[in-house]
Amino acid sequence: MPPSLSLSLANTHLQADLAMHLLFIVLVLLVVCIFKFIHSVIWVPWRIQVYFRKQGIGGPNYRPIFGNTPEYRRLFSEVRSKPMPFHHDIVHRVAPFYYEWSRKYGKTFLYWFGTKPTLAISDPDMIKEVLMNTGDGSFQKARNNPLARLLFGQGLNGLDGEEWALHRRIANQAFMIERVKVSLFALSKHDSFFSGLRPT
């Protein structure tokens, strides 16, 4: 066998081996990606839903990838297609998903934006517990649309962690009972002063 032919055969075998190794690596990566996808999109949401159902907290069923977003949009489009009646009961108009699901599943329920679970609560004691412990990372607030941040600003509602704790300490100063008493006293003196200037 001429040396050039044996060299070309060795190169061909080497290229075939490289192609096989590359194909094997690609297949392993593909299998890992599929398992990660199944784990994050199906397994974890299913476990979360089962965990909350065992505690008696229901909600609309999770649907892979989209969650409850299609139903959420459908409820909004249904409400907007009807004329708005003139009265103060506007929850069904402003938050139709909350209105509908709270009637169906109770005041505390779990719903999904994609693969992210959101727990809706309305019990005042539970809300107080959540708001008091937000700074330590026990509870995570729902993320607002970045454009909503321009509208609502960076108040306690939009902060987390150390920033939240600092702003909460600052805000607490305004609600100390001594300061409230002084403000009420000043307001009552101010009001009695101006009541003397009003025409009778």
Side-chain angles (χ1 to χ4, degrees), residues 138-150:
S138 300
F139 299 97
Q140 188 177 24
K141 295 178 185 175
R143 292 281 162 234
N144 287 334
N145 183 331
L147 293 175
R149 193 169 282 204
L150 294 173

Side-chain angles (χ1 to χ4, degrees), residues 1-3 8 14 36-37 40 64 69 72 77 119 129 132 174 196:
M1 182 181 288
S8 69
L14 185 63
K36 275 187 156 185
F37 177 80
S40 62
T69 309
Y72 180 87
S77 63
L119 185 64
E129 179 71 24
M132 295 293 283

Side-chain angles (χ1 to χ4, degrees), residues 188-200:
S188 67
K189 282 181 79 177
H190 181 72
D191 192 39
S192 64
F193 172 74
F194 281 107
S195 65
L197 296 177
R198 289 187 193 127
T200 55

Side-chain angles (χ1 to χ4, degrees), residues 57-105:
I57 298 171
N61 287 329
Y62 169 75
R63 287 177 179 77
I65 301 171
F66 301 111
N68 302 123
T69 309
E71 193 175 351
Y72 180 87
R73 286 184 178 154
R74 180 185 59 77
L75 289 168
F76 264 106
S77 63
E78 275 180 19
V79 165
R80 290 195 178 131
S81 67
K82 297 173 187 168
M84 185 172 174
F86 186 74
H87 55 74
H88 295 293
D89 183 20
I90 61 167
V91 175
H92 70 282
R93 182 80 179 189
V94 176
F97 69 97
Y98 181 80
Y99 180 77
E100 188 71 31
W101 293 338
S102 65
R103 283 182 29 202
K104 204 172 193 179
Y105 304 109

